[in-house]
Amino acid sequence: MSLKPTIGIETHIELNTNTKMFCRCAVVDTDEPNISLCPTCIGLPGALPVPNKKAIEFITLLALSTGCEITSKGMFHRKNYFYPDLPKNYQISQFDLPVGLNGELEIVIDENKDYIQIERVHMEEDTGKSSHSGSGRIESATSTALDFNRSGVPLVEIVTKPVISSSKQAVAYIEELRQLSIDLNISEGRLEKGNLRFDANISVALEDSNELGTKVEIKNMNSLRSLERAIDFEIQRQTKALEDGVEIVQETRHWDENKEVTSTMRSKEGSADYRYFSDPDLPNMFLSDEFIKEVETLMPLLPKAQREELMTTGLSLSQSNILSKSDDWIKKLYVKVFDQTKDSVASYNWITGELQGQMRKANIEVLPEWFNDDYLSEIIELIKSNKISFTSAKIILTEILTAETTPSKVAEQKNLFQENDSEKISEMINQIIKENQDIVDRIKSGEDKLVGFLVGQLMKQSNGSVNPGMAKELLLKELEG
Amino acid sequence: MDVSHLSIREINSLFTKKEIKPSELYSKVFENAANSEAALHAHLTLFEEENIKKAAEADKRFSNSESASLLDGIPIAIKDNINIKNYKTTCSSKMLSNYTSPYDATVIEKLKQQNTLFTGKTNLDEFAMGSSTENSAFGLTKNPWNTDYVPGGSSGGSAASVGARSSIAALGSDTGGSIRQPASFCGLVGFKPTYGTVSRFGLVAFASSLDQIGPITKTVDDSRIIFSSISGEDSRDATSVINNQLDIPSDNTATIGVIKELMEDGISGEAKNEVNKVIEILKSKGYKVKEISIPIIKLSISIYYLIAPAECSANLARFDGVRYGLRVDGNTSYEMMENTRAEGFGAEVKRRILLGTYALSAGYYDEYYGKALQARKEMIDEFAKTFKDVDYLISPTTPTQAFKSGEKTSNPLEMYMSDLCTIPANLAGLPAISIPTGLSKDELPLGVQIMSKPLSDNSLLDFSEIIENEVQFDGQPKGWL
């Protein structure tokens, strides 16, 4: 039996507006509960919602950036369901007239591009937060504490068509969406804070079938690791069920991080009746052509275009992709260093490899003030002109990350400039040969490995200042001669 | 000197001339309340003590000739579904019997700026659902003209309060006639402004697309004064509109339409006589009067009893015992919510929530709510067409005089029919006013209703004042004054 999985993803992105979606309460990032509330966001009698223009601008920006058609006459709907952390017991959302429809997002896996079709981009308000004690579920909790700071925070929901076929694709899609939201400056994009949360709809069907299998929804994941593992688990579970002839039930499942399994949350989700109707408190929302044009002027260079630009410098697609998903200062540094050195590989390797590696090790998040962008170019040029060795370059980098100095100053102080004069090197080699005649004999009788020992001796005696490539070459010549 | 029977402008003039002090009038209205309250039960709470100081401040302003407002020192009663900061807002429901509002409705803020004195909160049908003020969890209100009869509803407490002169004017809310019908039953002027001209912020929502706050007063001019004080665009209500008033003629160049469908079966002879009496007066003054037909008006009650319950089913979902109001415990949070709602809401409220929930349910939406929306749109179009031919529309306000307490409580459908003439203005968002014109053979007041196109409120008031002056209705409820 040849089976294929089909996955659709719904992602909620928390927008980084200053105030909430329908009131003027500040959006706060704190553990102290219930400090940013008003009659509207806790659903007091008589309070009314007024839309946040900035949030609508952000959602329009996201819809435009994914190539969606914009619904100029959008509408807010009420989604009715009872839950203690939903103050009005309905959520203001969008239904049949979302801000954006039918878009597409380019994703990258290794050296390949792929395109994920977007069904819709719409706005909704977040709920409050429940903390259940005695149990993780409200049904069996002994008590539940409610925090409404999050209630009414604007969210944008992006729904893909059922076009994703693997966990790898799903992860690449979320990585792309996350970066897009950061570049658009509409979200912090911090997964660990729940800025992005995703639900995956997964079904498995026969390879040659035109119909999708029964779908199962996995709710509320906020890490790429969970997404990947939950999808893989669910594909395996459903595949096995189909192979064993067991019927798959349409249901909502919960991903258990610790046990690494999915389990039933509630079945027949498909029959939940939210009784959507247009919110009479919020008259039709018109997105005028002028408004859309205004939003378009805010459009930054998108990750896809960034990759294309980076590839023109000579980077591969996957390298360009990694850079496009790096912090802004890294992207900028790359462009600068490449401009100066015209060496894309060295620029890329030094920035994404050594520099970021050393910073991580030293626990530095931002470059020190004195760190001049030109320093990396200088280091690369020094290596290329054989003035320093790669090892010395690493030492130099460590120094300039910890103290206010420059690459050439460090090289000079630490005596890291390489000896490139072949006569001088030959003199030193002769000396080494004299001192290690026994080793030389053994090499001559076939113990080639010992060449390295002699090079090492040379480096030691020269305090590492000899160009190791030249040293080896000259040494071999000498031994042969 | 008792001035409680005078109009606001007359009273203000006496205040200004220092012939009477605001505090004297203030004491007088509470004396009236003391005499009538036991028999009428117009109020749920009276604020006498709290506002004595404010009355004294008003005295000072007038004695120093510092008052700038027509409403300064005027005692006004407020329907108990409008929030006044730090006072209870019960909506005549057990659900909110212990609820104190932490904020002022926009209309209250505006009246406070005018130095109005609030006398108390008036009784209503629970959450403004009803036509007789018999659906109150705190006991029914009686008609000041004859206590065997209902005062109408849902703003029956406000009408009874003004009728018994326990206040000079009152605020009510009108979703399907809840200002105009009780005003008519109590021999008063009741004005429902154009939808959106008065902010709904702070009015506990029944049906958001229909609700509108307005005055119940003794004279048209009193309604005009209050309307001009409470109207205006509000940034906290997305449905509020800029009050750009249209100027339509009120003199005898105006054309008056008599709505055929509201002069047919189901309308009592007495109610029709009042309309005909006014038509004769208008004709004699040179107005052009013609019969017009708006067939869709016959569907008003059907449309209304789908749209209003649908909206209320969501609007009242917030009353769940979680954050405020009544809480009846249960074993789980859902059981608590169920128990709270079962005990907190009265029969009529439950009936409408069920009706609305049903009308919005999957599979029924198109058949019921969807069709009602469509019919409502047709009605709006029909009115717009009609107003190309006529400037004002005249009809009875109610099909009959006030009915007896208990007469219709067992037959909800019959009760709903009493709003036949008033509902169309809510569905179409039109300004509409009820003016008292005469008495029935049972010595109970009767009124006529005038409607005009949206945003012609001021012209409608001017035209109504002409009728008021011609009719010279001077009936007074006996026994209380």
Side-chain angles (χ1 to χ4, degrees):
Chain A
M1 196 156 37
S2 184
L3 297 165
K4 63 166 182 201
T6 303
I7 302 157
I9 298 182
E10 294 167 18
T11 312
H12 286 97
I13 304 180
E14 206 173 284
L15 298 175
N16 63 354
T17 50
N18 295 328
T19 54
K20 293 185 181 182
M21 184 66 217
F22 294 111
C23 60
R24 291 163 191 169
C25 286
V27 175
V28 293
D29 180 12
T30 172
D31 290 332
E32 196 184 331
N34 299 315
I35 58 160
S36 190
L37 313 178
C38 75
T40 296
C41 61
I42 56 170
L44 291 190
L48 294 172
V50 175
N52 177 338
K53 194 181 166 204
K54 198 81 195 164
I56 292 173
E57 187 182 295
F58 282 4
I59 294 162
T60 308
L61 197 58
L62 182 66
L64 285 170
S65 73
T66 48
C68 283
E69 303 150 21
I70 304 296
T71 315
S72 57
K73 189 176 174 276
M75 212 178 250
F76 292 107
H77 275 71
R78 291 182 182 179
K79 179 182 182 180
N80 296 287
Y81 65 95
F82 279 83
Y83 200 83
D85 65 18
L86 184 64
K88 302 183 292 298
N89 286 315
Y90 62 81
Q91 180 187 32
I92 304 175
S93 182
Q94 291 195 286
F95 187 50
D96 54 353
L97 293 168
V99 172
L101 277 171
N102 300 321
E104 183 179 81
L105 192 62
E106 181 185 277
I107 63 166
V108 175
I109 298 175
D110 304 325
E111 296 300 341
N112 299 307
K113 289 179 187 174
D114 216 335
Y115 296 88
I116 304 298
Q117 273 70 52
I118 308 285
E119 191 174 289
R120 53 189 281 139
V121 173
H122 75 247
M123 164 277 138
E124 59 186 40
E125 57 174 343
D126 211 342
T127 63
K129 231 185 242 173
S130 303
S131 311
H132 308 300
S133 28
S135 156
R137 307 267 183 90
I138 190 163
E139 293 82 1
S140 41
T142 51
S143 71
T144 297
L146 297 168
D147 173 10
F148 292 102
N149 285 340
R150 204 182 66 181
S151 172
V153 167
L155 296 176
V156 57
E157 181 172 341
I158 305 99
V159 182
T160 73
K161 292 187 174 156
V163 292
I164 297 169
S165 55
S166 68
S167 60
K168 206 171 178 187
Q169 249 189 345
V171 167
Y173 165 73
I174 294 295
E175 282 176 334
E176 184 71 17
L177 191 58
R178 172 180 174 271
Q179 190 58 44
L180 181 64
S181 70
I182 292 170
D183 287 352
L184 293 173
N185 198 17
I186 63 171
S187 168
E188 307 288 330
R190 297 182 66 171
L191 299 179
E192 75 282 4
K193 286 203 163 166
N195 289 162
L196 276 80
R197 307 193 288 272
F198 12 93
D199 308 334
N201 287 296
I202 303 160
S203 65
V204 171
L206 286 172
E207 187 80 61
D208 51 6
S209 165
N210 288 327
E211 278 172 33
L212 296 176
T214 305
K215 77 170 178 188
V216 166
E217 184 176 29
I218 307 175
K219 274 228 176 278
N220 220 5
M221 294 170 282
N222 70 349
S223 80
L224 294 172
R225 188 187 137 100
S226 301
L227 180 69
E228 186 178 5
R229 297 193 178 202
I231 289 175
D232 286 341
F233 177 88
E234 196 53 30
I235 291 173
Q236 269 179 27
R237 186 187 71 86
Q238 292 185 29
T239 302
K240 185 163 186 312
L242 287 178
E243 282 169 354
D244 294 350
V246 177
E247 198 193 341
I248 290 164
V249 197
Q250 182 171 341
E251 61 181 354
T252 300
R253 292 176 78 89
H254 163 79
W255 171 246
D256 188 322
E257 289 280 352
N258 303 319
K259 293 187 196 149
E260 301 213 327
V261 294
T262 63
S263 57
T264 302
M265 254 170 92
R266 54 180 180 267
S267 56
K268 288 190 182 168
E269 172 68 13
S271 66
D273 185 358
Y274 292 121
R275 303 190 308 280
Y276 280 99
F277 73 106
S278 71
D279 191 330
D281 286 331
L282 296 160
N284 296 354
M285 167 174 66
F286 289 97
L287 301 184
S288 66
D289 290 348
E290 297 96 80
F291 175 78
I292 294 169
K293 272 192 195 124
E294 204 182 294
V295 172
E296 272 168 346
T297 64
L298 302 172
M299 194 70 72
L301 194 64
L302 301 176
K304 176 178 184 249
Q306 290 175 29
R307 286 192 288 270
E308 280 158 13
E309 267 194 25
L310 289 166
M311 284 176 78
T312 64
T313 69
L315 291 182
S316 71
L317 178 60
S318 63
Q319 288 171 329
S320 307
N321 186 40
I322 288 171
L323 271 189
S324 75
K325 292 189 170 55
S326 303
D327 289 350
D328 208 39
W329 67 267
I330 293 173
K331 296 179 198 174
K332 285 194 178 126
L333 186 59
Y334 171 80
V335 172
K336 183 100 185 260
V337 175
F338 171 78
D339 271 352
Q340 289 170 340
T341 63
K342 297 294 168 208
D343 187 335
S344 59
V345 176
S347 307
Y348 177 84
N349 286 339
W350 271 95
I351 293 168
T352 62
E354 200 55 37
L355 177 64
Q356 285 190 270
Q358 288 207 17
M359 286 177 72
R360 254 195 306 276
K361 240 186 237 167
N363 239 331
I364 313 175
E365 272 181 24
V366 281
L367 282 176
E369 270 173 48
W370 64 79
F371 193 101
N372 189 316
D373 288 353
D374 299 341
Y375 291 172
L376 275 186
S377 307
E378 200 180 330
I379 291 173
I380 291 169
E381 293 299 345
L382 286 171
I383 299 171
K384 277 169 94 177
S385 57
N386 279 327
K387 288 190 177 138
I388 55 171
S389 68
F390 194 79
T391 318
S392 307
K394 288 180 177 181
I395 296 167
I396 292 171
L397 184 61
T398 312
E399 288 299 314
I400 54 177
L401 277 175
T402 43
E404 186 164 0
T405 178
T406 71
S408 24
K409 267 193 209 157
V410 177
E412 217 157 292
Q413 279 161 5
K414 298 216 155 198
N415 213 8
L416 296 176
F417 281 120
Q418 283 188 145
E419 189 50 80
N420 290 319
D421 183 332
S422 56
E423 266 180 42
K424 279 189 184 162
I425 297 173
S426 294
E427 257 173 49
M428 289 162 85
I429 286 174
N430 288 334
Q431 185 65 29
I432 294 284
I433 288 177
K434 250 187 237 165
E435 286 166 10
N436 295 283
Q437 200 53 55
D438 53 329
I439 303 288
V440 173
D441 289 344
R442 283 167 70 183
I443 292 170
K444 283 186 174 167
S445 60
E447 286 189 65
D448 288 353
K449 277 192 287 183
L450 290 171
V451 173
F453 174 78
L454 291 186
V455 175
Q457 290 297 305
L458 186 62
M459 297 309 290
K460 207 170 166 187
Q461 287 201 3
S462 68
N463 277 329
S465 70
V466 170
N467 179 335
M470 282 176 78
K472 195 173 175 188
E473 200 180 306
L474 289 168
L475 178 67
L476 286 175
K477 223 187 235 175
E478 203 64 41
L479 289 171
E480 274 162 25
Chain B
M1 177 166 56
D2 179 11
V3 297
S4 64
H5 61 290
L6 296 179
S7 73
I8 293 172
R9 218 175 280 276
E10 288 163 341
I11 295 170
N12 179 261
S13 153
L14 294 174
F15 283 168
T16 307
K17 285 189 264 177
K18 298 169 194 171
E19 287 178 25
I20 184 173
K21 288 188 203 160
S23 59
E24 291 169 299
L25 174 59
Y26 190 74
S27 307
K28 179 64 192 167
V29 294
F30 281 100
E31 194 187 309
N32 293 343
N35 290 334
S36 61
E37 211 42 28
L40 298 180
H41 189 231
H43 301 86
L44 295 173
T45 40
L46 283 164
F47 301 161
E48 185 167 9
E49 293 300 317
E50 293 95 313
N51 287 325
I52 283 176
K53 230 178 90 189
K54 291 213 169 100
E57 285 164 16
D59 287 356
K60 214 183 233 170
R61 277 190 300 276
F62 281 102
S63 79
N64 295 340
S65 303
E66 282 167 352
S67 177
S69 155
L70 272 173
L71 289 174
D72 193 347
I74 300 292
I76 289 188
I78 306 295
K79 188 177 181 179
D80 202 24
N81 60 351
I82 298 172
N83 287 309
I84 304 180
K85 190 175 174 173
N86 298 332
Y87 284 101
K88 275 192 187 178
T89 302
T90 70
C91 295
S92 286
S93 178
K94 195 173 169 191
M95 186 65 89
L96 291 177
S97 54
N98 63 359
Y99 177 72
T100 297
S101 176
Y103 74 99
D104 275 331
T106 298
V107 291
I108 297 300
E109 265 180 13
K110 284 178 179 260
L111 289 178
K112 280 183 175 175
Q113 282 160 14
Q114 307 278 319
N115 291 316
T116 301
L117 301 176
F118 301 121
T119 55
K121 299 299 282 290
T122 59
N123 200 10
L124 63 148
D125 286 298
E126 185 179 3
F127 287 105
M129 297 178 197
S131 310
S132 64
T133 317
E134 290 168 297
N135 299 330
S136 167
F138 309 117
L140 47 86
T141 296
K142 301 283 181 61
N143 192 317
W145 288 73
N146 184 333
T147 52
D148 291 340
Y149 290 82
V150 301
S154 63
S155 312
S158 288
S161 170
V162 180
R165 296 189 200 154
S166 302
S167 55
I168 297 304
L171 287 190
S173 67
D174 189 317
T175 307
S178 282
I179 286 173
R180 290 160 286 158
Q181 187 252 26
S184 178
F185 281 5
C186 296
L188 299 164
V189 173
F191 176 48
K192 182 203 89 74
T194 300
Y195 182 78
T197 52
V198 178
S199 170
R200 292 184 298 114
F201 184 78
L203 166 70
V204 182
F206 159 18
S208 316
S209 75
L210 302 161
D211 295 342
Q212 191 62 195
I213 295 172
I216 293 179
T217 57
K218 292 194 291 283
T219 68
V220 172
D221 186 46
D222 285 1
S223 279
R224 179 191 283 127
I225 291 166
I226 291 177
F227 173 63
S228 76
S229 306
I230 62 174
S231 57
E233 197 189 17
D234 183 6
S235 62
R236 291 174 298 188
D237 176 1
T239 61
S240 80
V241 296
I242 303 168
N243 194 6
N244 275 339
Q245 286 285 317
L246 300 171
D247 197 16
I248 53 176
S250 53
D251 62 13
N252 65 5
T253 60
T255 306
I256 318 303
V258 186
I259 304 171
K260 180 170 161 270
E261 286 75 14
L262 296 181
M263 292 292 276
E264 291 177 343
D265 300 344
I267 308 292
S268 72
E270 284 184 324
K272 282 186 218 170
N273 285 346
E274 291 305 310
V275 175
N276 289 327
K277 180 170 93 188
V278 173
I279 289 172
E280 287 316 310
I281 293 171
L282 290 170
K283 277 184 182 165
S284 73
K285 296 209 53 150
Y287 286 88
K288 208 169 139 197
V289 180
K290 60 181 189 183
E291 188 184 72
I292 55 104
S293 171
I294 308 177
I296 200 164
I297 277 189
K298 293 206 152 176
L299 294 179
S300 297
I301 290 189
S302 308
I303 300 169
Y304 179 84
Y305 276 99
L306 289 169
I307 289 177
E311 291 183 13
C312 99
S313 73
N315 282 334
L316 271 63
R318 67 188 62 195
F319 305 113
D320 57 6
V322 173
R323 285 145 295 128
Y324 52 80
L326 181 74
R327 175 184 287 188
V328 181
D329 279 337
N331 288 323
T332 65
S333 50
Y334 280 106
E335 222 180 274
M336 180 278 284
M337 290 193 247
E338 281 170 22
N339 294 345
T340 300
R341 290 169 67 80
E343 206 175 309
F345 290 139
E348 182 61 27
V349 171
K350 283 181 192 160
R351 178 160 34 238
R352 296 199 195 190
I353 290 173
L354 287 172
L355 206 63
T357 304
Y358 185 78
L360 288 172
S361 297
Y364 298 100
Y365 179 100
D366 292 338
E367 196 61 30
Y368 295 115
Y369 184 69
K371 269 197 180 157
L373 286 183
Q374 205 182 331
R376 181 180 187 182
K377 207 187 157 290
E378 274 175 41
M379 184 179 288
I380 291 169
D381 294 344
E382 282 301 311
F383 270 112
K385 240 192 271 167
T386 305
F387 283 121
K388 283 181 184 158
D389 291 338
V390 302
D391 299 301
Y392 302 97
L393 290 169
I394 188 167
S395 71
T397 307
T398 57
T400 61
Q401 65 173 29
F403 44 89
K404 282 190 171 160
S405 300
E407 190 182 324
K408 297 189 177 185
T409 41
S410 57
N411 189 342
L413 212 59
E414 216 174 275
M415 185 77 90
Y416 295 171
M417 291 306 288
S418 70
D419 294 333
L420 174 68
C421 308
T422 46
I423 283 174
N426 298 86
L427 290 173
L430 310 175
I433 191 168
S434 177
I435 318 161
T437 52
L439 295 179
S440 67
K441 67 174 174 17
D442 294 332
E443 297 278 299
L444 287 167
L446 291 162
V448 300
Q449 172 180 247
I450 318 287
M451 296 188 270
S452 58
K453 65 171 90 168
L455 289 172
S456 64
D457 307 67
N458 290 345
S459 300
L460 176 65
L461 290 163
D462 292 345
F463 176 64
S464 303
E465 201 167 32
I466 291 170
I467 297 176
E468 180 183 47
N469 288 334
E470 291 299 323
V471 171
Q472 287 290 336
F473 174 79
D474 56 2
Q476 297 284 347
K478 293 175 185 76
W480 315 108
L481 313 165

